[in-house]
Amino acid sequence: MPEGHTIRRLADDHAERFVGAPVRVSSPQGRFSDSAALLDGRTLTAADAHGKHLFLGFGEAGWVHIHLGLFGKLGFGAAPPPPPTDTVRLRLVNTGHYADLRGPTACALITEPEKRAIHERLGPDPLRGDEDGERAWQRISRSRTTVAALLMDQKVIAGVGNVYRAEVLFRHGIDPYRTGRDLTRAEWDALWADLGELMREGVANNRIDTVRPEHLPEAMGRPPREDDHGGEVYVYRRANLPCHICGTPIRTADLVSRNLFWCPRCQPPGLPGGEKG
């Protein structure tokens, strides 16, 4: 499932290509046809993102709410677009660009109050400038749930997925099985700030890179990562491979139906975190 940086990048891409001008709106698949007919020819006025939720604004007509889920894809191209396939749920077209949405978990026309309700049920997003992590801390600091599970709970913090979860905990030496209430405020503030920095870099580069300069392949004389996810990481999808820092095999386990990755030496159990490097 795309993480929050991808959705923010999609919002920015829509803003760059479509906001401020009329767009043709259609649903070749047919599942969004009624709403597409209401929006066709209207001006796209805004593109917004909160966590893994994308919102396309059409003024008084409302917002298209999109959640890609595990299988959704949203791609762009130069106009004129090719003939659509019957898998395209939503197509936007203007004089210069087109965008096709396929396979989303959600694609619905919603009202402003309905959009506001979605924001209210989500936790703070490190990529949104109106949040400082305080709301998340209030929940985390009272919770007996593991910090690894809390970071994936979109009601606690929005936009963090499996990669950022594993990587930010490693970068701060935090055992993923520590409970939220065992985190110190200083640790949480450092995690929040680091997530914001990493995710903003992800938006800019359109991929996840979490390895500090001194641990990059060229600095350490090691081969670069070979993975279809791209980007250099410390622990994600590196089960049984040696830790870049200490050489200990990376461990993996199932936690809340997702694979968790960590270094048992760099992230020792029961101890306060300490930033690596």
Side-chain angles (χ1 to χ4, degrees):
M1 182 183 298
E3 303 203 22
H5 74 292
T6 298
I7 307 306
R8 169 50 60 187
R9 176 67 178 251
L10 288 173
D12 292 346
D13 287 344
H14 276 86
E16 179 183 346
R17 291 166 172 80
F18 297 107
V19 165
V23 293
R24 301 304 309 271
V25 183
S26 62
S27 180
Q29 183 191 59
R31 294 180 61 182
F32 191 68
S33 292
D34 291 345
S35 295
L38 293 173
L39 300 175
D40 189 33
R42 291 181 179 268
T43 296
L44 186 67
T45 57
D48 191 16
H50 189 155
K52 300 177 183 182
H53 298 257
L54 175 65
F55 304 92
L56 304 178
F58 287 85
E60 294 181 356
W63 294 82
V64 177
H65 170 225
I66 296 169
H67 192 292
L68 293 179
L70 288 173
F71 305 109
K73 302 290 183 184
L74 213 170
F76 300 92
T85 66
D86 59 8
T87 61
V88 177
R89 180 81 58 88
L90 171 66
R91 169 170 278 189
L92 304 182
V93 183
N94 65 11
T95 56
H97 307 277
Y98 75 91
D100 280 350
L101 172 67
R102 294 176 170 85
T105 295
C107 176
L109 182 61
I110 63 174
T111 64
E112 181 69 34
E114 289 172 327
K115 178 177 183 284
R116 188 161 53 249
I118 294 172
H119 289 296
E120 289 172 352
R121 73 171 182 253
L122 291 171
D125 180 342
L127 290 173
R128 292 179 68 87
D130 56 352
E131 293 280 7
D132 60 5
E134 180 63 28
R135 284 198 299 131
W137 170 247
Q138 292 304 316
R139 297 189 65 161
I140 289 169
S141 62
R142 297 193 296 265
S143 179
R144 291 183 171 87
T145 301
T146 64
V147 65
L150 289 166
L151 287 176
M152 293 283 283
D153 186 341
Q154 300 300 296
K155 297 187 299 296
V156 176
I157 179 169
V160 175
N162 214 13
V163 187
Y164 283 123
R165 181 263 298 270
E167 293 297 301
V168 78
L169 289 175
F170 176 86
R171 283 167 61 95
H172 294 270
I174 294 174
D175 172 21
Y177 288 100
R178 283 175 65 190
T179 66
R181 68 178 191 170
D182 288 334
L183 283 183
T184 67
R185 181 58 193 258
E187 286 174 328
W188 169 246
D189 287 343
L191 286 172
W192 174 263
D194 203 23
L195 281 169
E197 183 175 341
L198 290 172
M199 293 174 75
R200 284 189 292 273
E201 184 176 340
V203 174
N205 297 333
N206 203 25
R207 73 176 199 174
I208 297 177
D209 287 286
T210 63
V211 173
R212 295 186 173 94
E214 61 268 30
H215 302 140
L216 288 171
E218 53 269 29
M220 300 187 74
R222 60 176 176 82
R225 181 189 186 208
E226 294 185 7
D227 189 284
D228 56 10
H229 280 68
E232 286 292 330
V233 296
Y234 285 108
V235 295
Y236 179 70
R237 286 175 56 156
R238 298 194 65 248
N240 301 315
L241 295 175
C243 173
H244 293 322
I245 308 302
C246 72
T248 301
I250 300 301
R251 294 187 61 184
T252 186
D254 179 84
L255 181 68
V256 196
S257 301
R258 300 297 299 274
N259 290 327
L260 175 67
F261 301 89
W262 78 103
C263 173
R265 182 174 180 182
C266 292
Q267 298 166 263
L271 296 174
E275 184 174 292
K276 291 288 164 290

